[in-house]
Amino acid sequence: MGRLDGRIAVVTGAASGIGLATAKRFAAEGAGVVMVDQHGEKVRRAAQALGQGLDPVLADITKIADLAALRDHVAKTYGFADILFANAGIASFAPVGKVSEEAFDRTVTTNFKGTFFTVQTLLPVLRDGASVILTSSVSGSKGAPAFSIYSATKAAVRSLARTLTSDLKDRGIRVNALAPGNTETPIGINAGLSQEQSDAFFAHTALDTPLGRNGQANDIAAAALYLACDDSSFVTGIELTVDGGFAQI
């Protein structure tokens, strides 16, 4: 018997990395999972590879029309959702003097605006007592160079978890932020790093992490499962940090 038997989960950014690992974990625990990503063919292939119970949907969280279509799909196909993992996001790395307006707008629009409107748009199909999980980051509380915009958006997401907790308490909807540490996913390469630069970055961060390694997507998926299931029924408004101690000491 799975911890999510009979529940419907919506996971954004589900074609790779943390989103993909979490979709797989939720499905293994009995959930029907709507896998949402802006890369349609990639998310379809991922859903096919994982097996039954996975429903790939093409949607760009920066486009309200796409989010509305996602909401309508959930309503028509399932009637409701019990879990929303608003995970989709991007990274951009540049010293403050070299941050372009385009990079600023794209990062803020995706990570903050997109996360906010994902929750707002899907609210009508979330059941009372649902679990909403927002992906923040330890970067939201650290001051790493060249991370200014990314870090600011993740701090905003953590703040959003608090205010949404207050806004939605009358419906019993729990809202929590999940803050990964240095996790080996393609996000850096998607931001323009070469494979060599990405490898060097992760080699450095592993040395700075008390547990002696970087996180893997499955580490974060395990924490997302905790926040999604009844094990965390008395947990709301928090930021759950999963970072091997990187930002803690």
Side-chain angles (χ1 to χ4, degrees):
M1 184 174 183
R3 282 179 280 181
L4 301 179
D5 280 350
R7 302 186 193 183
I8 301 300
V10 178
V11 178
T12 67
S16 64
I18 291 168
L20 178 59
T22 302
K24 182 178 181 179
R25 190 67 179 265
F26 284 1
E29 291 288 344
V33 184
V34 182
M35 297 176 64
V36 183
D37 203 277
Q38 65 177 333
H39 302 293
E41 184 57 33
K42 189 174 181 180
V43 75
R44 281 191 290 272
R45 289 198 303 267
Q48 286 179 339
L50 292 178
Q52 293 183 340
L54 295 147
D55 178 11
V57 174
L58 169 64
D60 182 341
I61 66 164
T62 69
K63 298 177 180 178
I64 302 300
D66 281 15
L67 291 172
L70 170 63
R71 176 200 60 214
D72 294 346
H73 172 76
V74 171
K76 181 177 180 180
T77 307
Y78 307 100
F80 59 85
D82 303 282
I83 302 156
L84 171 59
F85 185 25
N87 165 72
I90 62 171
S92 59
F93 309 123
V96 64
K98 295 186 178 180
V99 174
S100 68
E101 183 179 13
E102 185 275 333
F104 182 100
D105 288 346
R106 184 166 55 89
T107 306
V108 172
T109 297
T110 303
N111 293 359
F112 183 47
K113 178 182 176 182
T115 298
F116 178 88
F117 281 103
T118 296
V119 178
Q120 185 200 69
T121 306
L122 291 179
L123 268 179
V125 295
L126 289 180
R127 284 213 244 211
D128 289 355
S131 173
V132 174
I133 307 163
L134 313 179
T135 299
S136 59
S137 170
V138 296
S139 295
S141 58
K142 295 280 284 182
F147 275 66
S148 57
I149 308 308
Y150 177 77
S151 296
T153 62
K154 292 303 184 176
V157 168
R158 196 282 172 260
S159 177
L160 186 60
R162 289 190 175 102
T163 52
L164 290 178
T165 294
S166 295
D167 275 343
L168 301 177
K169 64 182 180 182
D170 290 343
R171 291 187 55 193
I173 294 176
R174 299 185 298 111
V175 184
N176 293 291
L178 176 55
N182 298 298
T183 307
E184 295 182 8
T185 73
I187 191 169
I189 292 174
N190 293 341
L193 297 182
S194 67
Q195 186 65 59
E196 292 75 15
Q197 289 172 320
S198 178
D199 290 345
F201 173 81
F202 282 126
H204 175 75
T205 55
L207 294 174
D208 286 342
T209 300
L211 288 185
R213 67 174 179 89
N214 296 305
Q216 301 298 318
N218 285 335
D219 295 318
I220 314 305
L225 173 61
Y226 166 71
L227 293 175
C229 77
D230 291 340
D231 291 349
S232 61
S233 62
F234 198 54
V235 177
T236 192
I238 71 161
E239 182 175 58
L240 177 58
T241 301
V242 186
D243 71 344
F246 176 76
Q248 311 308 312
I249 64 172

